[in-house]
Amino acid sequence: MKYAEEGELLVTKLLRKIDFPNPKIQKDIIKNPSRKFNYSKVIIKSIYDNVYPFSNKDDQPSSWFISFLHDIYNNGIQLHLDAFRYEEIVVDCCGNWMLKKDFNNCQDQSDILELKVNIIGRIPYYNIANIKMNGDDFYSEPIIICVFDEISGPFTEICYEFHDYATNKRIMF
């Protein structure tokens, strides 16, 4: 619990002060949740990293990467994992969903809805050890130093977000 509180306190430094009584700003934040941050781009770096700013050797998983802040959620921050690429999912009439590439291997091709979704990674507050707000000699963006595990890096969850631009509603899968 202590680590989560410390991580949450660190993340508040990334947030900009917002005049919430202003309805125009409220609508803009709902439409573009990343606007609640002072920065768009951040460096995510493992607490055990010893290669930054270079690449890991021998096809090892990266111990640092550049990403884009997307939003906050009840337990941490959300990042666009690939801000310039979408994933496609398929949703059936019961609300069940899967990645389209997995669906193409299925026999059931009944009533479906295909959606383009953003790939979102969730970093919980308790995985955030520190934030260097002013970057360093290599990058001017904030550097978020996190606990990484061998399989999923700093993320505890990978989600897919559909944004209905007509209604400005967002659905997380």
Side-chain angles (χ1 to χ4, degrees):
M1 184 71 157
K2 176 185 173 206
Y3 296 114
E5 290 172 358
E6 290 173 3
E8 185 174 10
L9 192 60
L10 288 168
V11 167
T12 60
K13 295 177 183 178
L14 295 171
L15 297 171
R16 63 182 206 158
K17 294 185 188 278
I18 299 170
D19 181 16
F20 273 111
N22 183 329
K24 186 176 180 182
I25 293 175
Q26 287 177 344
K27 286 180 183 177
D28 186 49
I29 295 292
I30 291 169
K31 187 176 178 181
N32 302 299
S34 61
R35 293 220 174 124
K36 63 181 68 154
F37 295 103
N38 284 315
Y39 309 88
S40 60
K41 190 164 46 169
V42 291
I43 309 299
I44 305 297
K45 184 176 162 187
S46 169
I47 60 173
Y48 303 111
D49 174 78
N50 58 5
V51 298
Y52 173 86
F54 305 105
S55 300
N56 292 42
K57 295 179 182 175
D58 303 325
D59 294 327
Q60 294 176 342
S62 182
S63 55
W64 73 275
F65 57 92
I66 298 171
S67 192
F68 296 86
L69 291 165
H70 173 62
D71 204 352
I72 54 176
Y73 71 108
N74 60 326
N75 289 328
I77 61 172
Q78 299 180 116
L79 303 173
H80 278 282
L81 294 190
D82 193 341
F84 306 105
R85 186 175 71 85
Y86 293 96
E87 186 69 70
E88 291 187 51
I89 64 169
V90 176
V91 183
D92 69 16
C93 59
C94 297
N96 301 311
W97 68 275
M98 68 175 61
L99 295 175
K100 185 175 180 190
K101 61 185 174 193
D102 297 335
F103 179 78
N104 289 337
N105 298 329
C106 292
Q107 299 299 324
D108 182 19
Q109 302 282 327
S110 58
D111 294 335
I112 58 156
L113 175 65
E114 292 184 25
L115 300 173
K116 288 185 177 183
V117 292
N118 295 311
I119 307 166
I120 305 294
R122 288 183 163 178
I123 301 176
Y125 292 126
Y126 61 79
N127 274 1
I128 299 173
N130 197 6
I131 299 178
K132 293 181 179 178
M133 293 303 297
N134 298 321
D136 59 15
D137 293 340
F138 302 101
Y139 293 99
S140 60
E141 291 81 10
I143 300 171
I144 302 174
I145 301 167
C146 299
V147 175
F148 276 45
D149 72 24
E150 293 177 11
I151 298 169
S152 57
F155 305 108
T156 55
E157 201 175 359
I158 303 298
C159 305
Y160 302 93
E161 181 194 62
F162 173 70
H163 183 180
D164 181 353
Y165 290 96
T167 62
N168 281 324
K169 303 276 187 210
R170 296 174 177 274
I171 302 170
M172 203 60 92
F173 293 92

